Amino acid sequence: MNSRHQYVELNDGRLIPGLGFGTYKPPEVPNSKTTEATKIAIETGYRHIDCAYAYQVEEEVGLAVRSKIADGTVKREDIFCTSKLWCTFHRPELVQSSLERSLKKFHFDYVDLYLIHYPFSMKPGEELFPKDENGKTIYDHVDLCAVWEAMEKCKDAGLAKSIGVSNFNRRQLEMILNKPGLKYKPVCNQVECHVYHNQRKLLDFCKSKNIVLVAYGALGTQRDKQWVDQSSPVLLDDPVLGALAKKHKRSPALIALRYQLQRGVVVLAQSLKENEIKENIQVFDFELTAEDMKELDGLNRNYRYLAAEFGADHPNYPFADEY
């Protein structure tokens, strides 16, 4: 099946598919599920695969992509694959070797997009979440501009075709953009973004700087017990989404995804279920009216499912600012 994607142009001239397949999964789900789901996604027409070192499924995602290349479904250049630099590898001398490690797991020569996963740094080492004896995160303090310079070197080395950031606020983006000797602007900022937290101000700022906003958690996250308050509202149960779903004869998930596309946001959809993976790509088959969009804008309550509390007392914690 041909991908019917709309593509969005990045500020480095490359194109990113407007819909991406997210590969984060809760720890209790076996990694093999990621391989199966990613294969289904590629067969269904997804061409944008979002991954990260911290998800610990780069091998499984690479396996799925390579098997779909081997069977002739796609070529490597058809796939837009993202990975992310984890907080324990921020020291400039660790950045490229961290990306090389990810590439080795994928069995790829390059990633299409490499992002700084969070703006705060943690103690270097093998632990994803280094903690002291009291269970407090052990931080590191690295200048974000120095991290960005190391990212630029990864692009120059051809290991990442495009580079960007994730979970940065406006102030942190401006710090990079105003950096003396800036060689490449971030192409995107990947952030939590959904109808309960529509990131209007950050989106307007990013658009003004020609930076694409990429939305994760667009369906209200997978409500992983480790990170998400289980008493938080279930996004897809929202009555407004439900009413619009009935009106358009679509699912609430498709309404939530379509909303983002029509705002010029690149949106990630995550699922391990074949029926949902196939349904989510139907986001290109209908359109919301201006009234629908206004109604969805009205749901915003600046509610964050994923507050990254493990970084809350670091000076670079991004979510203390308004946006």
Side-chain angles (χ1 to χ4, degrees):
M1 183 198 297
N2 269 342
S3 155
R4 301 154 297 177
H5 284 298
Q6 62 184 44
Y7 285 80
V8 175
E9 190 171 346
L10 299 170
N11 63 37
D12 62 3
R14 298 182 71 247
L15 297 175
I16 185 171
L19 175 69
F21 180 68
T23 60
Y24 173 80
K25 59 151 198 66
E28 65 274 11
V29 175
N31 282 18
S32 58
K33 291 270 187 227
T34 299
T35 306
E36 289 163 42
T38 306
K39 282 183 188 172
I40 292 165
I42 294 169
E43 283 159 12
T44 305
Y46 291 80
R47 294 296 176 259
H48 171 183
I49 312 288
D50 183 79
C51 195
Y53 174 84
Y55 302 168
Q56 300 190 294
V57 290
E58 288 172 320
E59 281 167 56
E60 288 73 14
V61 168
L63 185 64
V65 172
R66 294 196 319 277
S67 81
K68 291 292 109 193
I69 292 171
D71 72 9
T73 307
V74 286
K75 299 183 182 74
R76 171 65 186 94
E77 57 271 21
D78 299 332
I79 296 290
F80 189 100
C81 182
T82 301
S83 196
K84 307 181 187 91
L85 175 76
W86 187 237
C87 309
T88 53
F89 302 108
H90 277 190
R91 292 189 183 178
E93 66 274 15
L94 300 177
V95 173
Q96 186 168 321
S97 57
S98 176
L99 173 51
E100 285 166 350
R101 191 168 169 176
S102 289
L103 291 172
K104 208 168 171 176
K105 289 185 176 180
F106 285 125
H107 289 268
F108 290 166
D109 298 326
Y110 64 90
V111 287
D112 295 273
L113 177 60
Y114 199 48
L115 306 179
I116 301 176
H117 203 146
Y118 282 100
F120 50 84
S121 314
M122 299 191 299
K123 179 191 163 209
E126 289 305 304
E127 280 178 274
L128 273 183
F129 296 96
K131 291 185 169 66
D132 66 16
E133 61 279 7
N134 303 313
K136 296 279 272 178
T137 303
I138 308 173
Y139 294 128
D140 199 16
H141 296 278
V142 185
D143 174 18
L144 273 178
C145 289
V147 187
W148 187 252
E149 283 170 18
M151 295 286 283
E152 291 179 325
K153 288 184 178 135
C154 291
K155 179 173 161 73
D156 282 335
L159 302 175
K161 300 273 187 194
S162 298
I163 51 173
V165 298
S166 179
N167 297 304
F168 275 47
N169 61 34
R170 176 193 172 143
R171 189 169 45 87
Q172 291 162 336
L173 279 170
E174 284 189 318
M175 193 159 65
I176 303 288
L177 293 172
N178 298 330
K179 187 185 90 62
L182 180 73
K183 193 165 184 185
Y184 305 115
K185 278 168 66 164
V187 296
C188 70
N189 186 17
Q190 185 184 122
V191 294
E192 178 178 342
C193 183
H194 42 75
V195 290
Y196 287 166
H197 190 34
N198 70 22
Q199 300 275 16
R200 165 51 59 204
K201 288 185 172 174
L202 188 61
L203 175 59
D204 287 344
F205 173 75
C206 286
K207 282 182 173 174
S208 77
K209 302 294 181 189
N210 197 13
I211 293 170
V212 170
L213 197 80
V214 179
Y216 70 77
L219 303 177
T221 78
Q222 296 171 70
R223 304 183 68 83
D224 181 348
K225 291 180 183 63
Q226 195 182 347
W227 306 116
V228 178
D229 174 2
Q230 297 303 293
S231 65
S232 59
V234 178
L235 186 89
L236 295 180
D237 289 350
D238 189 275
V240 173
L241 281 177
L244 288 174
K246 272 202 185 75
K247 172 183 166 183
H248 289 278
K249 300 185 173 59
R250 298 287 192 267
S251 65
L254 277 172
I255 303 296
L257 294 173
R258 183 73 210 175
Y259 170 70
Q260 300 291 8
L261 287 182
Q262 287 185 214
R263 305 165 79 215
V265 170
V266 169
V267 66
L268 304 175
Q270 200 291 326
S271 178
L272 293 166
K273 296 179 181 150
E274 183 166 357
N275 60 320
E276 291 177 352
I277 294 170
K278 289 181 169 170
E279 182 189 87
N280 289 340
I281 206 167
Q282 293 165 18
V283 70
F284 302 105
D285 300 347
F286 73 105
E287 218 165 303
L288 297 168
T289 66
E291 290 74 46
D292 296 339
M293 291 296 288
K294 207 171 162 183
E295 214 178 329
L296 291 167
D297 282 337
L299 294 177
N300 184 54
R301 45 175 101 166
N302 294 327
Y303 183 80
R304 212 181 269 285
Y305 287 99
L306 296 160
E309 273 121 2
F310 62 91
D313 39 7
H314 192 286
N316 282 348
Y317 178 72
F319 307 142
D321 292 30
E322 186 200 350
Y323 69 100

